Amino acid sequence: MSEVRIAAEPRTTFGKGAARKIRRADKVPAVLYGHGIDPKHLTLPGHEVLLALRTPNVLIHLKGEGVDELALPKGVQRDPIKGFVEHVDLLLVKRGEKVTVEVPVTTTGDVNSEGLLDLQLTAVPVEAEATHIPTGVEVDVEGLEVGASVTAGQLTLPQGVSLATDPETVVLHVLAKPVEAPAEAEEAAEGEAAEAPAAEGETASE
């Protein structure tokens, strides 16, 4: 995983009013914590933060006055309507350090035509070196039959990455497609039976 370098400024004003002022300047208030340090309050450029957070578990290199650190986003607050980033909590990490994160699960291929793919987990916890966190885990489901399943322990993880959850946890399985008689066909059959002429020698009352 490549590092994203973001300029960081120390933040000395706090409260809702100060935060609004920062956001009006297209910047984001942030807090850096971890490794026993006193939390560092920072201001980050809003556009760069928004772009960086498009990558899951992005490794951010904070560089600025009084700060030259690597960090992972651990909490992101967004505007519920406009979606812009309002605040970021950042976890301090060191090169060579192992961290536990959740990485997205994606699938390739198509299951058997009689089945439906049921993805139970959209992300799986793994342990990886802070500077080598995988962007995701890919599962090939091509041709899987109804009843087949894939557990966390069956996932193929990159070298140096280990599973951080129960290996028996089901990630996905294949369900049978529901079989439903078309309502139109049933109605048509009933209509034809009602309109069919009585056989010779029979009366409607028979």
Side-chain angles (χ1 to χ4, degrees):
M1 173 183 291
S2 60
E3 300 172 10
V4 176
R5 184 165 175 165
I6 293 182
E9 305 171 21
R11 179 163 54 97
T12 57
T13 57
F14 307 97
K16 292 183 178 180
R20 283 194 293 266
K21 185 176 180 179
I22 290 172
R23 295 182 192 114
R24 282 197 297 268
D26 193 26
K27 296 182 179 181
V28 177
V31 176
L32 175 67
Y33 64 93
H35 283 271
I37 68 167
D38 291 333
K40 292 185 178 182
H41 299 272
L42 307 170
T43 299
L44 310 178
H47 184 64
E48 284 83 346
V49 169
L50 186 64
L51 292 178
L53 293 178
R54 292 179 178 176
T55 300
N57 302 308
V58 60
L59 184 65
I60 298 175
H61 184 179
L62 299 166
K63 183 73 172 178
E65 181 184 343
V67 60
D68 185 3
E69 305 285 3
L70 294 177
L72 291 172
K74 295 302 290 184
V76 180
Q77 297 177 21
R78 297 179 183 270
D79 181 275
I81 298 176
K82 297 182 179 179
F84 59 77
V85 179
E86 294 186 323
H87 188 275
V88 181
D89 288 337
L90 299 166
L91 177 65
L92 176 66
V93 296
K94 302 294 184 182
R95 296 186 189 281
E97 175 186 5
K98 290 276 189 175
V99 294
T100 299
V101 295
E102 289 197 348
V103 296
V105 175
T106 58
T107 61
T108 61
D110 298 307
V111 300
N112 183 281
S113 60
E114 297 179 354
L116 288 175
L117 179 64
D118 181 21
L119 188 62
Q120 294 284 298
L121 294 181
T122 57
V124 62
V126 299
E127 186 180 64
E129 200 269 315
T131 58
H132 292 84
I133 298 173
T135 56
V137 179
E138 193 173 82
V139 186
D140 184 5
V141 300
E142 183 65 34
L144 285 184
E145 301 287 344
V146 173
S149 62
V150 174
T151 63
Q154 293 174 308
L155 297 175
T156 301
L157 301 177
Q159 185 175 1
V161 178
S162 59
L163 193 64
T165 189
D166 184 349
E168 297 302 315
T169 302
V170 174
V171 176
L172 60 86
H173 55 202
V174 183
L175 305 175
K177 286 184 177 179
V179 179
E180 298 181 1
E184 295 81 0
E186 291 183 356
E187 292 175 359
E190 291 174 357
E192 290 174 0
E195 294 175 1
E200 185 177 352
E202 293 181 351
T203 65
S205 60
E206 290 178 343

